[in-house]
């Protein structure tokens, strides 16, 4: 049932939910209610009911430089696959958003990769960039939150920094909220929380394929 619900939502949000003008002007946008609470709850239930073996320790870097470092990052992740109905529903929705962004902003976004993220109590992710200029094809980062009844005292905020190190936004990870920002521009971090914290983090990418082989997603 989630698949049908998300498809209907896509038809509504394409022109109304995301301020693409603001995204173009400031490089990021925060959407408080990207999905209805019922759909968020279904995704939250799905994430919390996954078995321990469905998750892997998150790392830093890519390909040959990939490594885990608990001093930098402590979350567990699960890469979304189209074979899983709930995950496919989310991927389809975000692909339609990609088409809308390309139509409006002419960004040439080619595909999308994303994973569920689980931050146990006390887990964090230190300051980092999702892409470095000229060294990655990640263009736009998306973070969608699944956490019901989340309050300031629960912690776990996403902090987005400006180019002088100033705090631009401190985002409470409330269910239904979507954050979109330029991957190679905004340093950000995830503060430690007091509860289990769930989100779906993804990246819209350019096609950096060589010889017909699409650049690997991870």
């Amino acid at each position: 049932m989630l698949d049908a619900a998300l498809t209907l939502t896509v038809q509504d949000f394409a022109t109304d939910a995301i301020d693409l003008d603001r995204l173009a002007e400031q490089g990021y946008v925060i959407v408080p209610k990207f999905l209805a609470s019922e759909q968020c709850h279904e995704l939250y239930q799905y994430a919390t009911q996954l078995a321990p073996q469905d998750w892997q320790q998150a790392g830093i870097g890519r390909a040959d430089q990939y490594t885990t470092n608990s001093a930098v990052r402590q979350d567990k992740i699960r890469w979304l696959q189209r074979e899983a109905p709930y995950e496919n529903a989310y991927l389809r929705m975000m692909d339609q958003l990609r088409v809308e962004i390309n139509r409006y902003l002419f960004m040439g976004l080619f595909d999308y990769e994303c994973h569920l993220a689980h931050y146990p109590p006390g887990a964090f992710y230190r300051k980092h960039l999702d892409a470095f200029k000229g060294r990655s094809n990640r263009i736009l980062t998306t973070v969608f939150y699944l956490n019901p009844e989340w309050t300031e005292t629960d912690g776990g905020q996403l902090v987005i920094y400006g180019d002088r190190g100033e705090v631009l936004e401190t985002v409470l990870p409330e269910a239904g909220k979507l954050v979109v920002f330029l991957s190679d521009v905004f340093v950000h971090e995830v503060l430690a929380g007091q509860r289990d914290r769930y989100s779906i983090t993804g990246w819209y990418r350019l096609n950096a394929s060589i010889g017909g082989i699409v650049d690997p997603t991870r």
Side-chain angles (χ1 to χ4, degrees), residues 25 27 45-46 62 72 124 140 150 156 175 190-191 200 204 207:
E25 291 168 5
Q45 289 293 105
Y46 174 74
R62 304 183 76 185
V72 175
F124 55 79
L140 278 181
W150 198 272
V190 177
L191 303 181
I200 305 177
Y204 288 112
N207 183 7

Side-chain angles (χ1 to χ4, degrees), residues 69-88:
N69 185 342
S70 61
V72 175
R73 170 174 199 182
Q74 299 181 331
D75 57 316
K76 296 182 182 297
I77 64 172
R78 172 184 169 84
W79 290 97
L80 268 62
Q81 304 293 328
R82 295 195 182 275
E83 293 77 13
Y86 275 73
E87 298 175 17
N88 183 52

Side-chain angles (χ1 to χ4, degrees), residues 46-47 49-56 77-79 87 116:
Y46 174 74
Q49 292 172 13
L50 288 169
Q53 61 268 25
D54 292 326
W55 300 88
Q56 67 183 76
I77 64 172
R78 172 184 169 84
W79 290 97
E87 298 175 17
L116 280 162

